[in-house]
Amino acid sequence: NAGVMQNPRHLVRRRGQEARLRCSPMKGHSHVYWYRQLPEEGLKFMVYLQKENIIDESGMPKERFSAEFPKEGPSILRIQQVVRGDSAAYFCASSPGVGANVLTFGAGSRLTVL
Amino acid sequence: ELKVEQNPLFLSMQEGKNYTIYCNYSTTSDRLYWYRQDPGKSLESLFVLLSNGAVKQEGRLMASLDTKARLSTLHITAAVHDLSATYFCAVDPEAAGNKLTFGGGTRVLVKP
């Protein structure tokens, strides 16, 4: 069981470029969550998805950020026209469903915007 | 808006001594999680507390939950160097969606 796989682990972008972060959930998990961690802070919820559906995107910035979890393939968090404030660690987590399921987190993707 | 506050933010420990980390939250919740994070790594689940009075122990760590006081504690017994990490508590107020609100973390450094 490979766990939650995220890639890339590290990504460097210049201001104005696009960043795409990928997440493959654990085998058997159909629920994916994205969290952002700014330096020296806790994680902040961004979005919750199931296959082909966004369930809750209340933590997503209104502009430049989008997420998807297609029928086939990984979940993708897309950040357009990145700015320095987007520099953070982006963690994906998965669970088999709602309820008292402990989230399993991936190793994170660390985005640096120059 | 739900607030989750941990204290202290930083804890310098001596090996062999006992310490407690506190996690206060501002709204009703019956579900609280403790995670450990090593530098540059992901989060490792330590405990899930699902009801008032819940107590769980694993090795030198023990976590408890008082939902009436909206307080959870993580107690470390006889600290050892391997416990150096950042510890986060997280609350799931909706108890149905795993939409966690995290505390700011407690950075623990255990010195010999």
Side-chain angles (χ1 to χ4, degrees):
Chain A
N1 194 337
V4 178
M5 304 300 292
Q6 288 189 249
N7 69 82
R9 292 293 310 280
H10 299 275
L11 183 62
V12 178
R13 285 287 178 266
R14 296 189 182 281
R15 281 179 296 170
Q17 292 184 317
E18 179 178 288
R20 283 188 181 227
L21 310 177
R22 295 174 193 78
C23 169
S24 296
M26 276 188 74
K27 189 175 180 180
H29 287 193
S30 58
H31 296 240
V32 165
Y33 309 78
W34 286 94
Y35 284 80
R36 177 165 63 174
Q37 184 180 33
L38 296 171
E40 307 298 325
E41 293 188 12
L43 279 71
K44 299 246 187 317
F45 169 80
M46 298 181 75
V47 62
Y48 162 33
L49 311 104
Q50 295 178 29
K51 284 283 187 184
E52 300 185 278
N53 282 307
I54 297 174
I55 307 302
D56 185 337
E57 56 181 346
S58 57
M60 289 276 271
K62 299 292 181 211
E63 297 176 349
R64 302 187 297 108
F65 284 72
S66 62
E68 62 176 6
F69 189 14
K71 187 176 180 181
E72 301 290 339
S75 175
I76 295 174
L77 180 67
R78 182 183 178 203
I79 312 171
Q80 295 177 289
Q81 299 174 338
V82 295
V83 300
R84 288 218 174 104
D86 296 334
S87 296
Y90 292 83
F91 287 95
C92 171
S94 71
S95 73
V98 295
N101 297 299
V102 179
L103 293 181
T104 301
F105 282 85
S109 292
R110 282 159 180 82
L111 172 65
T112 301
V113 180
L114 302 177
Chain B
E1 182 190 343
L2 171 61
K3 288 190 185 333
V4 180
E5 294 184 349
Q6 288 181 236
N7 72 84
L9 298 181
F10 179 74
L11 196 45
S12 178
M13 299 184 180
Q14 282 189 314
E15 280 193 329
K17 294 197 173 179
N18 303 333
Y19 298 88
T20 301
I21 300 171
Y22 298 90
C23 174
N24 290 90
Y25 53 98
S26 63
T27 193
T28 304
S29 176
D30 287 336
R31 190 175 301 181
L32 189 136
Y33 302 80
W34 283 97
Y35 286 90
R36 168 186 170 141
Q37 185 181 37
D38 291 293
K41 301 289 179 63
S42 185
L43 280 78
E44 174 192 352
S45 175
L46 295 174
F47 300 108
V48 183
L49 303 169
L50 297 176
S51 61
N52 186 40
V55 177
K56 290 199 174 177
Q57 182 164 6
E58 179 74 34
R60 299 174 188 275
L61 301 179
M62 183 174 73
S64 64
L65 178 62
D66 181 344
T67 58
K68 293 179 182 176
R70 299 179 185 171
L71 170 68
S72 179
T73 59
L74 180 66
H75 189 72
I76 299 171
T77 301
V80 293
H81 180 69
D82 284 353
L83 293 178
S84 296
T86 300
Y87 293 84
F88 291 96
C89 65
V91 174
D92 177 9
E94 298 175 17
N98 284 324
K99 181 179 165 183
L100 303 181
T101 299
F102 281 80
T106 297
R107 189 172 165 197
V108 167
L109 179 61
V110 182
K111 297 180 178 179

